[in-house]
Amino acid sequence: MVKKARGAQRREESLSRDRIIEASIEILDSRGEDGLTFRALAERLATGPGAIYWHIANKSDLLTAACDAIVARTLEACVAGATPQATIRALALGMFDAIDAHPWVGSALTDAPGHLPIVRIFERIGQQVRALGAAEDTHWAVASALLSYVLGVGGQNAANGQLARTRGLDRSDFLETMSTAWSQLDPDEYPFARSVAEQLRDHDDRMDFLAGIDLILKGIDAKR
Amino acid sequence: MVKKARGAQRREESLSRDRIIEASIEILDSRGEDGLTFRALAERLATGPGAIYWHIANKSDLLTAACDAIVARTLEACVAGATPQATIRALALGMFDAIDAHPWVGSALTDAPGHLPIVRIFERIGQQVRALGAAEDTHWAVASALLSYVLGVGGQNAANGQLARTRGLDRSDFLETMSTAWSQLDPDEYPFARSVAEQLRDHDDRMDFLAGIDLILKGIDAKR
DNA sequence: ACCTGAACACCGTTCAAGT
DNA sequence: ACCTGAACACCGTTCAAGT
């Protein structure tokens, strides 16, 4: 019962799956995906690399578990809206912001199909799709489309943010640079990209993301 | 002018960026993303790992270049349909199939935001969005939504396929297994996933993908 | 200009040995 | 049961040295 209160150099709590996951999230957030190594993790936990394997199967397991922790918290924080549509928007936006804050979650989700974190999100979206009252046999396809959209756009946005950070730019500087590059593309080969270079400069990823969600929701509506 | 016709052990053509990319695609297709190493590539090209760095900046550059080669071919093979809607469907389906055939293209695309292959796809989709005749100031958001959807769903589908292959199952065995697992989920926590387990078993990823595209296209239509 | 291949600084993972 | 840390079999990348 009595914990050894002594030994400032030693760990205060014993190793556990949860502590390992917590430490992983901190490393992933501060040093990015490449920063998470078993050696770095072991050092932070004041142990050896081998010890971690007692609690975690391998690196992919570790990443999925860290990802699931973020997803679980995010979904918990999402409260239901007045309508299924509003709830779907809230869920989607919640995930978008979570992936933006933890870019590694984006790739972890795409690399873990069928795993717990994905099923969690799918379930929450699906319950709202059902509440929309669409035909039963379309539930799967509609929920899948929404899930894929959320993960797809969320991931792209996070990748963009990381690219900007890599180049040491903030969001608006980055958009400025990219917009300028696009406006100088070959007019014959890239007329469209050139023509939207302005919109690129001033756009708001978060709002565009929501616009896409609304597009899909409208599509569902139009189908009924 | 005269090529050395001799030396069966030696390379017939000298090293070039194109030959390196071609060999990379072959390795990626046959041995997967993890199979592509500079050592394996060097061996196939009958040279040393260092030689590759004369033509390629680094591994990320190599992956993007290989990805771009697939994308360029895929888009070239996509002929225009009777309507912008039909062309968008053809482009989307072409990319879906390409990512399905070359799963590594999915992750390469998500990891290379703003790079050539992405801009190529975006341009082609965008031209059709413009042809749809929607309001000019929505072009960016609509084209972005479509692009993200295509990459998102395509990537998810490819990841699923790889997961199935990892477990040594074919598509329908895999769906069978997953459907059964879902039907046994906790009814209180995962009511929706349980209820669509049947649809999961019989669904066709390709058709669901198209259904999502149509949903978005309908949403655009409803907005006008 | 282009290629060679040894060397460097890492990885994830295992496993005998300890407590 | 849980932890240690050296060791193994790899990586991507560099660079002096060659042609």
Side-chain angles (χ1 to χ4, degrees), chain B residues 79-87:
Chain B
V79 288
T83 62
Q85 278 91 347
T87 308

Side-chain angles (χ1 to χ4, degrees), chain A:
Chain A
M1 291 296 124
V2 185
K3 291 222 187 83
K4 294 189 226 153
R6 201 126 353 209
Q9 311 297 35
R10 313 210 100 243
R11 286 195 303 280
E12 276 131 46
E13 310 163 45
S14 72
L15 215 51
S16 71
R17 194 175 157 90
D18 278 352
R19 281 196 65 228
I20 293 172
I21 292 167
E22 240 15 77
S24 299
I25 291 174
E26 284 164 26
I27 294 178
L28 285 162
D29 284 345
S30 61
R31 290 191 277 192
E33 238 174 307
D34 292 342
L36 181 67
T37 69
F38 278 77
R39 282 168 181 81
L41 189 53
E43 195 185 359
R44 177 177 283 246
L45 291 165
T47 180
I52 295 164
Y53 281 89
W54 188 263
H55 303 272
I56 301 284
N58 50 46
K59 189 162 184 181
S60 147
D61 178 33
L62 178 60
L63 224 54
T64 305
C67 180
D68 194 49
I70 300 287
V71 168
R73 281 174 216 166
T74 303
L75 294 181
E76 218 168 324
C78 282
V79 288
T83 62
Q85 279 91 347
T87 308
I88 288 175
R89 287 172 117 252
L91 283 169
L93 211 51
M95 280 308 306
F96 183 87
D97 289 339
I99 296 173
D100 190 58
H102 312 278
W104 52 272
V105 169
S107 36
L109 283 171
T110 6
D111 290 348
H115 284 193
L116 191 53
I118 295 271
V119 182
R120 270 192 219 276
I121 307 172
F122 183 74
E123 175 67 32
R124 286 290 292 268
I125 291 177
Q127 289 176 6
Q128 298 308 314
V129 168
R130 182 194 269 165
L132 280 175
E136 188 106 22
D137 65 345
T138 66
H139 285 183
W140 160 270
V142 169
S144 292
L146 281 167
L147 175 68
S148 294
Y149 179 81
V150 170
L151 299 186
V153 188
Q156 290 277 117
N157 176 65
N160 272 322
Q162 279 190 299
L163 180 61
R165 244 164 280 135
T166 302
R167 303 201 184 154
L169 300 170
D170 72 5
R171 239 194 75 87
S172 72
D173 284 344
F174 176 67
L175 287 179
E176 188 69 36
T177 309
M178 200 160 151
S179 168
T180 305
W182 280 33
S183 68
Q184 287 162 354
L185 286 170
D186 180 343
D188 290 332
E189 237 176 321
Y190 298 102
F192 181 76
R194 274 178 64 110
S195 76
V196 293
E198 277 313 311
Q199 292 177 46
L200 198 166
R201 178 181 273 114
D202 303 319
H203 86 124
D204 178 336
D205 283 305
R206 221 160 161 271
M207 287 303 113
D208 288 350
F209 170 74
L210 266 188
I213 293 286
D214 288 340
L215 220 50
I216 299 179
L217 290 175
K218 263 213 174 68
I220 299 171
D221 235 42
K223 208 155 201 169
R224 274 194 302 191

Side-chain angles (χ1 to χ4, degrees), chain B residues 15 47 50-51 54-55:
Chain B
L15 216 50
T47 180
W54 188 263
H55 303 274

